[in-house]
């Protein structure tokens, strides 16, 4: 495991926040980005978001329903949390562009979490449609944060077309399988000139910490908190895990050795 | 005239505006976006934009997700 820090980790604070996460010139004090899907109620979601310390949270765009009670949009505004609309449910670049433009109109933000998936069973990103959508959205003035495969080549291409961050998956959405290919995540981190946000697959706190130790700049998760037995408790655990992993990354871990190395001085 | 609103066919009076369609679905106008035949209609144009026969109107809002 490399201990070399990336350029984005050393970004000078512009907001007064110590060690901020900076995306497209905007500083965040928290490196945990939350999703809102799967929460048992808006009340529990609000408590979990507060406990997580998150400053940015994803929402989806769907048709207005008269059956809908309460509003996640109101929850975010009440707590001063920046909305990050996603394009979940889109299978083509055309659909993603339309959803992003509707989200920009509805929420007044140019930030978008770009999701273009290949099929319902895996929800894995479709790399061809994803890159096409990213290029068009950047040209249209969006701040694009793409959910991508753990593919260093695709991550590089997304950065080259102007994405503000890259968000490789640890494993499929909602699977809780953790980070299946840490080596690829490290490769993405090593080459990236924009923040790398580990998105999807996190199941528990140690996996969020591992993402940060691998050099990711932030972690995005939802199900691990919203579907936990105690969502609020897991949210605070994730907050601590991301902070701990970030600290360990910056501190620099000791080299892995094959045999013991005494930490006490040898006897006289 | 027949118009498809959020996937359901409805009979609307001629010259119904996008603003009136939104009013019929929700009390709020914040956090809402409208597309007519997949084209976004900016909020500033809702009151001046009339829907026409067989238009597809989608009224969207932010929900939990992702």
């Amino acid at each position: 495991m490399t201990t070399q820090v990336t350029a984005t980790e050393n970004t000078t604070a512009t907001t007064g926040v110590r060690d901020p996460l900076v995306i497209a010139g905007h500083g965040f004090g928290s490196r945990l980005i939350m999703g809102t899907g799967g929460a048992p109620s808006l009340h529990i979601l609000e408590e979990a978001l507060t406990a997580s310390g998150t400053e940015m949270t994803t929402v989806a765009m769907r048709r207005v329903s008269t059956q809908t009670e309460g509003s996640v949009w109101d929850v975010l505004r009440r707590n001063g949390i920046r909305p990050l609309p996603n394009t979940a449910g889109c299978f083509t670049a055309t659909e993603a562009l339309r959803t992003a433009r509707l989200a920009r109109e509805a929420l007044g933000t140019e930030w978008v979490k770009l999701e273009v998936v290949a099929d319902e069973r895996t929800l894995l990103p479709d790399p061809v449609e994803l890159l096409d959508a990213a290029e068009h959205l950047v040209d249209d003035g969006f701040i694009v944060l793409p959910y991508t495969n753990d593919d260093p080549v695709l991550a590089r291409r997304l950065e080259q077309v102007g994405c503000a961050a890259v968000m490789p998956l640890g494993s499929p959405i909602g699977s809780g399988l953790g980070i299946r290919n840490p080596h690829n995540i490290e490769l993405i981190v090593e080459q990236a000139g924009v923040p790398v946000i580990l998105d999807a697959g996190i199941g528990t706190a140690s996996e969020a910490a591992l993402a940060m130790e691998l050099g990711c700049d932030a972690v995005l998760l939802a199900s691990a908190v919203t579907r936990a037995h105690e969502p609020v408790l897991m949210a605070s655990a994730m907050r601590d895990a991301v902070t701990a992993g970030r600290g360990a990354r910056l501190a620099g871990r000791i080299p892995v050795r094959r045999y013991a190395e005494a930490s006490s001085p040898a006897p006289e | 005239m027949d118009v498809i609103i959020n996937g359901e066919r409805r009979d609307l009076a001629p010259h119904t505006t996008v603003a009136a369609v939104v009013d019929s679905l929700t009390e709020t106008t914040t956090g809402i976006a409208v597309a007519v035949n997949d084209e976004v209609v900016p909020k500033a144009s809702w009151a001046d934009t009339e829907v026409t026969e067989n238009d597809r109107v989608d009224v969207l809002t932010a929900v939990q997700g992702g």
Side-chain angles (χ1 to χ4, degrees), chain A residues 246-253:
Chain A
R246 174 68 175 172
R249 170 70 182 191
L250 293 180
R253 62 155 298 142

Side-chain angles (χ1 to χ4, degrees), chain A residues 121-136:
Chain A
R121 191 172 70 90
T122 67
L123 295 178
L124 289 172
D126 180 320
V128 177
E129 295 291 325
L130 179 70
L131 189 62
D132 185 25
E135 196 162 10
H136 281 90

Side-chain angles (χ1 to χ4, degrees), chain A residues 172-187:
Chain A
I173 291 170
S175 69
L177 284 166
I179 301 171
R180 306 308 294 175
N181 196 336
H183 176 66
N184 272 21
I185 299 298
E186 282 187 314
L187 288 176

